[in-house]
mmCIF file of all heavy atoms in Angstrom:
data_model
loop_
_atom_site.group_PDB
_atom_site.id
_atom_site.type_symbol
_atom_site.label_atom_id
_atom_site.label_comp_id
_atom_site.label_asym_id
_atom_site.label_seq_id
_atom_site.Cartn_x
_atom_site.Cartn_y
_atom_site.Cartn_z
ATOM 1 N N VAL A 133 84.991 124.801 59.451
ATOM 2 C CA VAL A 133 84.910 125.608 58.226
ATOM 3 C C VAL A 133 85.325 124.766 57.036
ATOM 4 O O VAL A 133 86.439 124.257 56.963
ATOM 5 C CB VAL A 133 85.812 126.835 58.283
ATOM 6 C CG1 VAL A 133 85.652 127.646 56.957
ATOM 7 C CG2 VAL A 133 85.413 127.741 59.413
ATOM 8 N N ILE A 134 84.328 124.548 56.143
ATOM 9 C CA ILE A 134 84.549 123.656 54.998
ATOM 10 C C ILE A 134 85.222 124.456 53.897
ATOM 11 O O ILE A 134 84.876 125.575 53.622
ATOM 12 C CB ILE A 134 83.159 123.160 54.489
ATOM 13 C CG1 ILE A 134 82.435 122.302 55.549
ATOM 14 C CG2 ILE A 134 83.233 122.448 53.201
ATOM 15 C CD1 ILE A 134 83.047 120.941 55.671
ATOM 16 N N TRP A 135 86.162 123.824 53.206
ATOM 17 C CA TRP A 135 86.791 124.397 52.011
ATOM 18 C C TRP A 135 86.417 123.535 50.792
ATOM 19 O O TRP A 135 86.589 122.325 50.902
ATOM 20 C CB TRP A 135 88.311 124.514 52.149
ATOM 21 C CG TRP A 135 88.829 125.626 52.930
ATOM 22 C CD1 TRP A 135 88.131 126.364 53.911
ATOM 23 C CD2 TRP A 135 90.160 126.184 52.922
ATOM 24 N NE1 TRP A 135 88.985 127.305 54.486
ATOM 25 C CE2 TRP A 135 90.211 127.221 53.870
ATOM 26 C CE3 TRP A 135 91.316 125.926 52.202
ATOM 27 C CZ2 TRP A 135 91.387 127.966 54.114
ATOM 28 C CZ3 TRP A 135 92.445 126.658 52.397
ATOM 29 C CH2 TRP A 135 92.479 127.658 53.392
ATOM 30 N N GLY A 136 85.989 124.148 49.733
ATOM 31 C CA GLY A 136 85.641 123.487 48.490
ATOM 32 C C GLY A 136 86.519 123.940 47.335
ATOM 33 O O GLY A 136 86.775 125.188 47.256
ATOM 34 N N LEU A 137 86.912 123.087 46.471
ATOM 35 C CA LEU A 137 87.764 123.451 45.340
ATOM 36 C C LEU A 137 87.073 123.147 44.012
ATOM 37 O O LEU A 137 86.651 121.997 43.766
ATOM 38 C CB LEU A 137 89.073 122.682 45.397
ATOM 39 C CG LEU A 137 90.032 122.841 44.174
ATOM 40 C CD1 LEU A 137 90.618 124.267 44.141
ATOM 41 C CD2 LEU A 137 91.163 121.758 44.209
ATOM 42 N N PHE A 138 86.927 124.167 43.165
ATOM 43 C CA PHE A 138 86.406 123.972 41.821
ATOM 44 C C PHE A 138 87.609 124.209 40.864
ATOM 45 O O PHE A 138 88.180 125.320 40.899
ATOM 46 C CB PHE A 138 85.303 124.977 41.489
ATOM 47 C CG PHE A 138 84.784 124.926 40.113
ATOM 48 C CD1 PHE A 138 83.637 124.200 39.779
ATOM 49 C CD2 PHE A 138 85.423 125.544 39.050
ATOM 50 C CE1 PHE A 138 83.169 124.136 38.481
ATOM 51 C CE2 PHE A 138 84.981 125.501 37.788
ATOM 52 C CZ PHE A 138 83.793 124.788 37.484
ATOM 53 N N HIS A 139 87.994 123.197 40.122
ATOM 54 C CA HIS A 139 89.127 123.410 39.195
ATOM 55 C C HIS A 139 88.965 122.535 37.981
ATOM 56 O O HIS A 139 88.877 121.306 38.070
ATOM 57 C CB HIS A 139 90.442 123.058 39.945
ATOM 58 C CG HIS A 139 91.634 123.668 39.264
ATOM 59 N ND1 HIS A 139 91.590 124.790 38.559
ATOM 60 C CD2 HIS A 139 92.883 123.189 39.201
ATOM 61 C CE1 HIS A 139 92.809 125.073 38.071
ATOM 62 N NE2 HIS A 139 93.621 124.124 38.472
ATOM 63 N N GLU A 140 89.011 123.191 36.824
ATOM 64 C CA GLU A 140 88.771 122.479 35.599
ATOM 65 C C GLU A 140 90.015 122.434 34.706
ATOM 66 O O GLU A 140 90.008 121.793 33.633
ATOM 67 C CB GLU A 140 87.575 123.097 34.827
ATOM 68 C CG GLU A 140 87.892 124.170 33.823
ATOM 69 C CD GLU A 140 88.260 125.498 34.449
ATOM 70 O OE1 GLU A 140 88.708 125.527 35.590
ATOM 71 O OE2 GLU A 140 88.148 126.547 33.734
ATOM 72 N N GLU A 141 91.108 123.034 35.181
ATOM 73 C CA GLU A 141 92.323 123.109 34.347
ATOM 74 C C GLU A 141 93.401 122.159 34.869
ATOM 75 O O GLU A 141 93.349 121.662 35.975
ATOM 76 C CB GLU A 141 92.851 124.516 34.355
ATOM 77 C CG GLU A 141 91.931 125.492 33.584
ATOM 78 C CD GLU A 141 92.538 126.896 33.372
ATOM 79 O OE1 GLU A 141 93.391 127.301 34.204
ATOM 80 O OE2 GLU A 141 92.262 127.506 32.377
ATOM 81 N N SER A 142 94.433 122.032 34.018
ATOM 82 C CA SER A 142 95.621 121.248 34.436
ATOM 83 C C SER A 142 96.304 122.193 35.438
ATOM 84 O O SER A 142 96.045 123.375 35.532
ATOM 85 C CB SER A 142 96.487 121.003 33.238
ATOM 86 O OG SER A 142 97.149 122.189 32.842
ATOM 87 N N PRO A 143 97.282 121.665 36.149
ATOM 88 C CA PRO A 143 97.941 122.530 37.177
ATOM 89 C C PRO A 143 98.920 123.537 36.608
ATOM 90 O O PRO A 143 99.750 124.053 37.322
ATOM 91 C CB PRO A 143 98.641 121.483 38.077
ATOM 92 C CG PRO A 143 98.800 120.276 37.300
ATOM 93 C CD PRO A 143 97.757 120.278 36.210
ATOM 94 N N ARG A 144 98.756 123.812 35.341
ATOM 95 C CA ARG A 144 99.664 124.756 34.681
ATOM 96 C C ARG A 144 99.876 126.067 35.420
ATOM 97 O O ARG A 144 100.965 126.583 35.549
ATOM 98 C CB ARG A 144 99.081 125.037 33.274
ATOM 99 C CG ARG A 144 100.036 125.670 32.351
ATOM 100 C CD ARG A 144 99.374 126.158 31.090
ATOM 101 N NE ARG A 144 100.368 126.512 30.113
ATOM 102 C CZ ARG A 144 101.399 127.297 30.298
ATOM 103 N NH1 ARG A 144 101.584 127.871 31.464
ATOM 104 N NH2 ARG A 144 102.261 127.570 29.350
ATOM 105 N N ASN A 145 98.764 126.629 35.931
ATOM 106 C CA ASN A 145 98.866 127.904 36.619
ATOM 107 C C ASN A 145 98.992 127.800 38.123
ATOM 108 O O ASN A 145 99.350 128.741 38.762
ATOM 109 C CB ASN A 145 97.644 128.777 36.261
ATOM 110 C CG ASN A 145 97.548 129.026 34.797
ATOM 111 O OD1 ASN A 145 98.577 129.246 34.116
ATOM 112 N ND2 ASN A 145 96.373 128.979 34.239
ATOM 113 N N VAL A 146 98.612 126.674 38.647
ATOM 114 C CA VAL A 146 98.733 126.501 40.121
ATOM 115 C C VAL A 146 99.371 125.129 40.351
ATOM 116 O O VAL A 146 98.698 124.156 40.613
ATOM 117 C CB VAL A 146 97.305 126.528 40.799
ATOM 118 C CG1 VAL A 146 97.460 126.687 42.288
ATOM 119 C CG2 VAL A 146 96.423 127.639 40.241
ATOM 120 N N GLU A 147 100.673 125.141 40.271
ATOM 121 C CA GLU A 147 101.377 123.854 40.360
ATOM 122 C C GLU A 147 101.266 123.225 41.759
ATOM 123 O O GLU A 147 101.479 122.040 41.914
ATOM 124 C CB GLU A 147 102.841 124.079 39.968
ATOM 125 C CG GLU A 147 102.971 124.250 38.495
ATOM 126 C CD GLU A 147 104.379 124.671 38.104
ATOM 127 O OE1 GLU A 147 104.659 125.853 38.175
ATOM 128 O OE2 GLU A 147 105.167 123.777 37.757
ATOM 129 N N GLU A 148 100.981 124.087 42.753
ATOM 130 C CA GLU A 148 100.821 123.548 44.114
ATOM 131 C C GLU A 148 99.797 122.437 44.127
ATOM 132 O O GLU A 148 99.844 121.518 44.962
ATOM 133 C CB GLU A 148 100.395 124.697 45.092
ATOM 134 C CG GLU A 148 101.493 125.664 45.434
ATOM 135 C CD GLU A 148 101.778 126.631 44.263
ATOM 136 O OE1 GLU A 148 101.036 126.674 43.266
ATOM 137 O OE2 GLU A 148 102.772 127.382 44.382
ATOM 138 N N LEU A 149 98.807 122.522 43.213
ATOM 139 C CA LEU A 149 97.758 121.455 43.218
ATOM 140 C C LEU A 149 98.227 120.114 42.777
ATOM 141 O O LEU A 149 97.495 119.114 42.849
ATOM 142 C CB LEU A 149 96.566 121.947 42.356
ATOM 143 C CG LEU A 149 95.779 123.138 42.984
ATOM 144 C CD1 LEU A 149 94.773 123.657 41.964
ATOM 145 C CD2 LEU A 149 95.083 122.729 44.294
ATOM 146 N N MET A 150 99.521 120.051 42.281
ATOM 147 C CA MET A 150 100.008 118.726 41.999
ATOM 148 C C MET A 150 100.427 118.008 43.269
ATOM 149 O O MET A 150 100.716 116.806 43.221
ATOM 150 C CB MET A 150 101.251 118.892 41.090
ATOM 151 C CG MET A 150 100.912 119.193 39.699
ATOM 152 S SD MET A 150 102.359 118.900 38.627
ATOM 153 C CE MET A 150 102.946 120.546 38.407
ATOM 154 N N HIS A 151 100.485 118.726 44.327
ATOM 155 C CA HIS A 151 100.962 118.113 45.620
ATOM 156 C C HIS A 151 99.762 117.739 46.494
ATOM 157 O O HIS A 151 98.879 118.565 46.701
ATOM 158 C CB HIS A 151 101.894 119.074 46.342
ATOM 159 C CG HIS A 151 103.116 119.370 45.551
ATOM 160 N ND1 HIS A 151 104.161 118.421 45.416
ATOM 161 C CD2 HIS A 151 103.518 120.424 44.825
ATOM 162 C CE1 HIS A 151 105.077 118.970 44.648
ATOM 163 N NE2 HIS A 151 104.709 120.147 44.271
ATOM 164 N N GLU A 152 99.790 116.559 46.952
ATOM 165 C CA GLU A 152 98.630 116.091 47.703
ATOM 166 C C GLU A 152 98.402 116.859 48.965
ATOM 167 O O GLU A 152 97.261 117.111 49.365
ATOM 168 C CB GLU A 152 98.794 114.554 48.025
ATOM 169 C CG GLU A 152 97.500 114.019 48.606
ATOM 170 C CD GLU A 152 97.343 112.511 48.437
ATOM 171 O OE1 GLU A 152 98.391 111.843 48.436
ATOM 172 O OE2 GLU A 152 96.203 112.034 48.422
ATOM 173 N N GLU A 153 99.468 117.358 49.559
ATOM 174 C CA GLU A 153 99.304 118.186 50.804
ATOM 175 C C GLU A 153 98.419 119.416 50.513
ATOM 176 O O GLU A 153 97.668 119.841 51.346
ATOM 177 C CB GLU A 153 100.666 118.712 51.361
ATOM 178 C CG GLU A 153 101.611 117.615 51.786
ATOM 179 C CD GLU A 153 102.474 117.058 50.658
ATOM 180 O OE1 GLU A 153 102.071 117.167 49.452
ATOM 181 O OE2 GLU A 153 103.542 116.486 50.927
ATOM 182 N N MET A 154 98.565 119.981 49.348
ATOM 183 C CA MET A 154 97.771 121.147 48.985
ATOM 184 C C MET A 154 96.324 120.701 48.820
ATOM 185 O O MET A 154 95.413 121.394 49.340
ATOM 186 C CB MET A 154 98.286 121.729 47.644
ATOM 187 C CG MET A 154 97.580 122.933 47.161
ATOM 188 S SD MET A 154 97.982 124.377 48.109
ATOM 189 C CE MET A 154 96.549 125.403 47.888
ATOM 190 N N LEU A 155 96.092 119.608 48.141
ATOM 191 C CA LEU A 155 94.677 119.136 47.959
ATOM 192 C C LEU A 155 94.042 118.854 49.291
ATOM 193 O O LEU A 155 92.844 119.092 49.486
ATOM 194 C CB LEU A 155 94.700 117.907 47.076
ATOM 195 C CG LEU A 155 95.226 118.100 45.671
ATOM 196 C CD1 LEU A 155 95.442 116.701 44.990
ATOM 197 C CD2 LEU A 155 94.270 118.900 44.822
#
Side-chain angles (χ1 to χ4, degrees):
V133 180
I134 296 286
W135 281 21
L137 173 70
F138 175 98
H139 198 31
E140 90 287 22
E141 290 190 330
S142 76
R144 196 191 192 306
N145 300 322
V146 194
E147 286 171 277
E148 286 76 9
L149 290 171
M150 284 196 260
H151 297 285
E152 189 156 30
E153 296 87 337
M154 181 73 204
L155 297 169

